[in-house]
């Protein structure tokens, strides 16, 4: 256990209170784990004009999550509980006891705290929740993944993408573990400056060119698109035909974005006879 905090600080009182608390407001109605862990901000960066990323060092060694899940985010002195998707791979937590979040600027008190008050060494608490995740076991049947993201909805899908890359590395290095199929990411934002983590995404595409592909969409681009991004950019929304071309019995679809987008693609997939068990979506805007 990391010792971040004085023995009788207000923060430790908060942790003690949360562990015995029932009915806390959280991001969604899905079940959450009982572990409420202390965490410390150990990194921060601007991912876009409106999104700030945080890297948290998590204290509790029993804290874990599945790729795609979110955390309840407890802030000392802020009565409202935040709910932010984890965008890092579970492997980062296993190896370095860290998780990464990306938070869009809004008037919601936890988001305001992240953008206006949070500093390095700020102390918070986190608890995992959510039923939107990709967690295959080694003996499971191989599946392709299609990830459909809108705006900040990339966060849980980036976690899944990074987890998929870790599985590919494990297969390449050890010839063991889950054998994943292909991964196709469709990601839409207003413009290229709002496409979060684009370098991370393209690095994975270049690392696994036969396994990972991406199609980046911009809907309100007003500036010239860089040469590096241009091969991956389509101007306009993600279309139903693009998604339809990837339908197969071996494919799982994960969707996260504004509700109209999520509703549209989940309905289109159902209309094309994709099993509901193969359509997973996170909708909480």
């Amino acid at each position: 256990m990391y010792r971040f905090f004085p023995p009788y600080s207000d923060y430790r009182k908060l942790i003690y209170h949360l562990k015995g608390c029932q009915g806390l407001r959280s991001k969604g109605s899905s079940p959450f784990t009982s572990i409420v862990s202390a965490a410390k901000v150990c990194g921060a960066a601007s991912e876009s004009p409106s999104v700030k990323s945080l890297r948290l060092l998590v204290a509790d060694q029993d804290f874990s999550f599945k790729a795609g899940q979110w955390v309840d985010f407890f802030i000392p002195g802020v009565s409202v509980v935040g709910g932010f998707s984890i965008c890092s791979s579970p492997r980062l937590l296993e190896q370095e006891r860290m998780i990464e979040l990306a938070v869009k600027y809004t008037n919601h008190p936890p988001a305001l705290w992240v953008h206006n008050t949070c500093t390095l060494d700020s102390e918070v608490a986190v608890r995992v929740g959510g039923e939107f995740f990709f967690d295959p076991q080694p003996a499971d049947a191989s599946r392709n993944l299609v990830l459909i993201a809108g705006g900040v909805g990339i966060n849980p899908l980036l976690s899944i993408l990074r987890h998929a890359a870790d599985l590919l590395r494990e297969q390449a290095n050890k010839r063991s573990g889950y054998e994943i199929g292909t991964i196709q990411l469709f990601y839409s934002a207003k413009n290229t400056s709002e496409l979060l983590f684009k370098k991370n995404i393209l690095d994975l595409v270049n690392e696994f060119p036969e396994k990972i592909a991406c199609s980046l969409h911009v809907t309100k681009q007003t500036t010239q698109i860089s040469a590096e991004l241009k091969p991956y950019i389509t101007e306009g929304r993600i279309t139903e035909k693009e998604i339809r071309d990837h339908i197969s019995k071996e494919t799982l679809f994960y969707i996260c974005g504004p509700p109209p987008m999520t509703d549209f693609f989940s309905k289109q997939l159902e209309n094309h006879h994709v099993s509901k068990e193969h359509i997973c979506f996170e909708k909480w805007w």
Side-chain angles (χ1 to χ4, degrees):
M1 176 73 73
Y2 299 100
R3 293 184 176 276
F4 300 150
F5 318 110
Y8 300 104
S9 69
D10 290 340
Y11 188 80
R12 283 196 178 274
K13 293 176 184 176
L14 172 69
I15 294 290
Y16 179 80
H17 170 71
L18 291 175
K19 286 183 175 179
C21 212
Q22 300 295 324
L24 286 165
R25 289 181 60 191
S26 60
K27 180 174 173 178
S29 58
S30 302
F32 43 70
T33 65
S34 60
I35 294 175
V36 179
S37 176
K40 181 170 69 172
V41 177
C42 59
S46 294
E47 297 297 335
S48 80
S50 62
V51 175
K52 183 176 181 180
S53 64
L54 297 181
R55 178 169 277 211
L56 304 178
L57 186 61
V58 180
D60 196 316
Q61 296 290 331
D62 294 325
F63 179 94
S64 65
F65 74 98
K66 299 172 183 178
Q69 289 187 300
W70 44 263
V71 290
D72 282 331
F73 191 82
F74 305 102
I75 306 163
V78 177
S79 60
V80 180
V81 179
F84 305 131
S85 292
I86 302 169
C87 54
S88 51
S89 166
R91 190 67 52 87
L92 180 65
L93 179 65
E94 293 167 9
Q95 294 179 342
E96 302 182 35
R97 301 309 307 163
M98 293 186 185
I99 62 172
E100 294 178 352
L101 312 174
V103 180
K104 187 176 179 66
Y105 183 89
T106 69
N107 288 325
H108 192 57
L112 283 176
W113 181 88
V114 168
H115 281 265
N116 298 335
T117 306
C118 174
T119 61
L120 291 180
D121 296 330
S122 286
E123 302 164 349
V124 296
V126 288
R127 177 178 59 188
V128 171
E131 296 177 325
F132 178 86
F133 57 79
F134 177 62
D135 183 40
Q137 302 307 301
D140 289 350
S142 180
R143 299 292 187 190
N144 304 319
L145 299 182
V146 172
L147 312 176
I148 307 170
V152 77
I154 188 62
N155 288 351
L157 299 185
L158 181 64
S159 177
I160 292 173
L161 181 65
R162 286 170 161 170
H163 184 46
D166 285 334
L167 294 173
L168 289 169
R169 294 185 189 107
E170 187 175 18
Q171 269 289 320
N173 296 333
K174 301 179 180 178
R175 302 293 177 185
S176 64
Y178 178 71
E179 188 171 345
I180 195 168
T182 61
I183 304 101
Q184 171 71 48
L185 170 67
F186 293 96
Y187 177 21
S188 176
K190 289 181 181 179
N191 52 57
T192 53
S193 68
E194 293 289 343
L195 286 169
L196 309 179
F197 305 107
K198 45 189 174 285
K199 183 182 184 305
N200 303 96
I201 292 167
L202 295 186
D203 284 348
L204 293 178
V205 171
N206 291 326
E207 184 179 354
F208 301 102
E210 296 180 359
K211 284 288 191 176
I212 300 177
C214 74
S215 177
L216 307 177
H217 287 245
V218 290
T219 57
K220 295 181 180 179
Q221 185 74 19
T222 57
T223 59
Q224 188 172 355
I225 298 169
S226 69
E228 181 187 19
L229 281 179
K230 206 159 190 176
Y232 305 95
I233 295 288
T234 299
E235 298 200 46
R237 297 177 184 273
I238 302 167
T239 66
E240 179 265 340
K241 181 184 182 303
E242 289 175 284
I243 305 304
R244 188 177 67 236
D245 289 343
H246 291 272
I247 292 176
S248 76
K249 292 182 180 179
E250 293 75 37
T251 301
L252 303 177
F253 294 85
Y254 287 83
I255 312 167
C256 188
M261 174 185 175
T262 301
D263 291 341
F264 175 79
F265 285 116
S266 58
K267 184 64 175 176
Q268 290 299 317
L269 288 169
E270 287 183 31
N271 289 345
H272 288 287
H273 310 293
V274 176
S275 168
K276 287 186 177 182
E277 289 72 28
H278 287 186
I279 307 170
C280 309
F281 55 85
E282 179 87 308
K283 184 170 65 173
W284 47 269
W285 266 257

